[in-house]
Amino acid sequence: MNLGAKFDNSYARLPAQLFTPLAPTPVAAPKLIRFNGDLARELGITTSDDAQLAQIFAGNVAPDGAAPLAQAYGGHQFGNWNPGLGDGRALLLGEVIDSHGQRRDIALKGSGRTPYSRSGDGRAALGPVLREYLVSEAMHAMGVPTTRALAAVLTGEQVWRETALPGAVLTRVAASHIRVGTFQLAAARGDLAGLKALADHVIARHYPDATGPEGLLAAITARQAELIAQWMALGFIHGVMNTDNMAVSGETIDYGPCAFMDLFDPLTVLSSIDHGGRYAWRNQPDIAVWNLAQLATALIPLMPDRDAAVESFTNIINGFAEHYLLAWRRRFGAKIGLAEPTEADQALMSRLLGLMAQDGADFTNAFAALAGDKAQDQFTDRAAFADWRRDWQARVPDPALMARANPQVIPRTHLIEAAISAAIAGDLAPFHAMLEVVTDPFAPLTGARAPYARPPAEDERVLRTFCGT
Ligand code: AMP
Ligand code: MG
C-alpha cells in the first residue's frame, strides 16, 4: 500500500548482525484510535483513509518501501548487564526524510514476537500505548526532544497482563532508535566492524560536525546534559533509565513507568520495579553520567590506544557536570523569569526549591502560579515565601519568559490512569480530551482545561507506576 511517504532505509544497510529483518505479525481486527495528522504531514504521509491507516499501523499491511526489522541491543538494567535485549515487541518499519530534511524512524510497538522477545508475547496492552501517546506528545509540546506518537491502533485481540486487556499498537517516530545499549552490544560481542559502522552511522545521522569517537561522545554528552536539565525543570521522572532506554540522538525514549511529580519531593520514585530509588528524580543527572560512562567503555575499541582513550573519555564525561549546571541554571532561570541567570540567581532557585520541598508544593502549579498574585497559596510557610519573593522581585523577572517556561498543565498520572481505565471499558473520550489539553500546555487554564491542573486528592494519588508491558 502506498503511504505517500518515501522510505530510505539506511539502518537496513548496516552490517547484518545489528538487526533481524522481520515483518510484523498481523492482528485480528485493526481499528484506528488516534492518528497524528500534523506529524503525518511532516513525514510526507498522504494517506488519510482510517481503515487503510489502521491496516498499516497495526502491521497488517506493509507500506511501499518499508523494510521492517528488529534492532539488536543489550543494556544495563538497573545496573546489571543484559546482552539479550533488542526489539522484543517493536519493529522499525523504515526511515523517511521529513519536510525539514531530517531522517526519521517509523516504528511499531506491540507488533508481535521477534528473536529478541525472550518470554514476552511481543504485544502491547492499550494502557501503555495510550500513556506513551499522551506523555510523548505532551513532552514535545513542552519543547522537550522526544520520540513522537504517530498512531495508536486497537488490534481486536486481547493480551494477558495478570488479567486480559485490549491489545494495541503504537507507531513511534524517532530521530533514530539507536541506544547506548546498541553500542554496548556490538562492543560486548567484540564486533569491531559493527561498532565502527554504528559510530559512523550515528555521526553522519545525528552529529555531522563530530569527529571520531571522541567528538561523538562529547556531542552525545552535551545533548544528554541539555535533555536531563529539561526533564528536571518539568518535574519529569523517566523511571527506567537503563542504558537500552537512552537514545544517542538525545531524544527522550521509552515511556514506561514515567511520571511527572505532583508534590515536589526530590527523592520521588514511582516505578514499581525501582526498589532502590536508582531512577528517582534527583538521581537522573548522575544516572545519565553512569550511562554515558557505559557508552564510553563501548567506544574504547575504536580508539588506537586504550589508556589514552580512557583518559580522554573520562575528561569528556567529566564535562557533563559543567554543561548540566549551565543548562539547569538556564532552564530554572527561565522558570523564575531570569533570562541571564547568574551564580547568585542559582542560590535563589535552590531556595525556592527548598521551600517547595519543605511545603510539599505542587511542582507544576507552584511555578505556574509564580507570575500571578496568588503564588503564596502554593506554600504553607507564607513568611518564608514572602521573603523569597522580595529577593526575587528585586531581580525584575520577565513574566513572558516565565509563561513560556512553566506549563499550566502536565499529564498527571492519576488522570492518565483514569483515561486508560475509561478506554479499557470502551470509552476513548477522556483520552482524546486529555490529549487536546496536554498538547497545548502553556495556554491559560480556562473552561474545561482547569480540572487538568488540579493535583490529585489524597485518595486519587498514584503511588506506583508500572511498565505495563
Ligand atoms: P523496556 O525496558 O520496557 O523498554 O523493555 C526491555 C526489553 O524487554 C526490551 O528488549 C523489550 O523489547 C522487551 N520487552 C518488553 N515487553 C515485551 C513483550 N511484551 N514482549 C516481548 N519483549 C518485550
Ligand atoms: Mg526499552
Side-chain angles (χ1 to χ4, degrees):
M1 199 177 285
N2 187 355
L3 198 53
K6 280 188 206 59
F7 283 91
D8 175 51
N9 307 315
S10 65
Y11 203 88
R13 299 193 284 269
L14 290 176
Q17 63 273 24
L18 296 174
F19 59 90
T20 304
L22 184 71
T25 310
V27 300
K31 187 160 171 278
L32 197 61
I33 299 171
R34 185 89 190 185
F35 184 64
N36 190 335
D38 290 341
L39 179 58
R41 268 185 294 283
E42 238 177 274
L43 299 173
I45 294 174
T46 52
T47 308
S48 59
D49 179 79
D50 278 8
Q52 282 184 8
L53 291 169
Q55 290 289 336
I56 289 174
F57 295 117
N60 283 24
V61 172
D64 296 346
L69 59 86
Q71 293 182 332
Y73 52 83
H76 278 90
Q77 299 177 302
F78 292 91
N80 303 306
W81 170 243
N82 185 341
L85 298 174
D87 288 336
R89 63 184 143 153
L91 287 172
L92 174 63
L93 285 182
E95 303 152 31
V96 301
I97 310 296
D98 71 12
S99 55
H100 312 289
Q102 298 297 314
R103 182 176 292 277
R104 311 277 287 272
D105 275 4
I106 303 180
L108 302 182
K109 195 166 173 184
S111 47
R113 287 184 54 82
T114 79
Y116 314 105
S117 297
R118 293 170 293 164
S119 58
D121 60 2
R123 293 300 186 188
L126 177 61
V129 166
L130 298 185
R131 186 185 300 116
E132 176 156 347
Y133 204 122
L134 285 165
V135 182
S136 64
E137 287 302 302
M139 290 285 267
H140 172 71
M142 291 188 282
V144 183
T146 176
T147 63
R148 303 287 307 277
L150 176 63
V153 177
L154 277 165
T155 60
E157 297 177 358
Q158 293 202 316
V159 295
W160 189 257
R161 300 287 183 270
E162 288 165 2
T163 166
L165 291 167
V169 177
L170 179 81
T171 304
R172 180 159 76 179
V173 172
S176 82
H177 283 80
I178 303 168
R179 305 138 194 274
V180 167
T182 318
F183 281 90
Q184 286 183 283
L185 180 61
R189 286 169 166 174
D191 172 18
L192 203 59
L195 194 59
K196 175 86 171 61
L198 206 51
D200 291 344
H201 177 84
V202 170
I203 289 174
R205 188 164 175 178
H206 299 303
Y207 304 102
D209 297 333
T211 312
E214 288 161 303
L216 177 62
L217 183 63
I220 294 174
T221 299
R223 201 78 68 88
Q224 285 297 331
E226 286 290 332
L227 178 67
I228 307 293
Q230 280 190 281
W231 290 0
M232 301 303 275
L234 293 169
F236 177 76
I237 308 165
H238 182 285
V240 238
M241 287 178 71
N242 294 335
T243 58
D244 54 304
N245 292 336
M246 184 188 263
V248 296
S249 67
E251 288 185 334
T252 313
I253 193 170
D254 273 359
Y255 293 89
C258 62
F260 291 85
M261 269 189 281
D262 294 303
L263 300 187
F264 178 52
D265 172 0
L267 293 175
T268 303
V269 36
L270 289 156
S271 168
S272 60
I273 52 173
D274 189 358
H275 304 296
R278 179 181 171 91
Y279 301 141
W281 177 80
R282 190 182 70 176
N283 293 346
Q284 296 183 121
D286 287 345
I287 290 294
V289 170
W290 195 91
N291 289 351
L292 290 164
Q294 308 314 311
L295 175 63
T297 305
L299 293 175
I300 286 177
L302 297 178
M303 298 288 282
D305 179 273
R306 191 176 197 285
D307 290 343
V310 170
E311 194 182 327
S312 163
F313 286 172
T314 303
N315 284 333
I316 291 168
I317 290 174
N318 285 343
F320 179 98
E322 177 71 8
H323 204 114
Y324 175 74
L325 180 74
L326 293 178
W328 191 98
R329 191 182 290 167
R330 189 161 26 77
R331 296 280 169 196
F332 278 86
K335 290 177 84 67
I336 61 168
L338 307 180
E340 280 165 27
T342 62
E343 223 172 302
D345 293 329
Q346 172 126 6
L348 202 59
M349 299 169 210
S350 299
R351 240 174 91 200
L352 177 64
L353 288 171
L355 282 180
M356 284 170 56
Q358 170 204 299
D359 292 2
D362 183 85
F363 186 88
T364 306
N365 292 356
F367 279 108
L370 273 187
D373 51 14
K374 292 206 167 50
Q376 68 276 7
D377 294 355
Q378 302 289 327
F379 296 84
T380 49
D381 188 346
R382 302 229 171 164
F385 178 71
D387 279 348
W388 180 84
R389 193 182 151 84
R390 196 171 322 112
D391 294 345
W392 170 55
Q393 286 293 332
R395 293 283 292 123
V396 198
D398 170 6
L401 180 60
M402 296 172 72
R404 291 194 301 274
N406 295 316
Q408 299 290 322
V409 283
I410 38 105
R412 292 191 184 261
T413 306
H414 69 293
L415 296 179
I416 296 176
E417 294 310 317
I420 290 174
S421 297
I424 291 172
D427 179 10
L428 285 160
F431 162 74
H432 293 300
M434 184 170 181
L435 185 63
E436 298 300 332
V437 174
V438 300
T439 52
D440 193 10
F442 299 105
L445 281 179
T446 47
R449 293 171 53 81
Y452 291 91
R454 196 173 52 74
E458 199 65 45
D459 62 334
E460 290 173 319
R461 209 175 284 160
V462 176
L463 299 172
R464 285 278 164 270
T465 53
F466 297 87
C467 285
T469 57

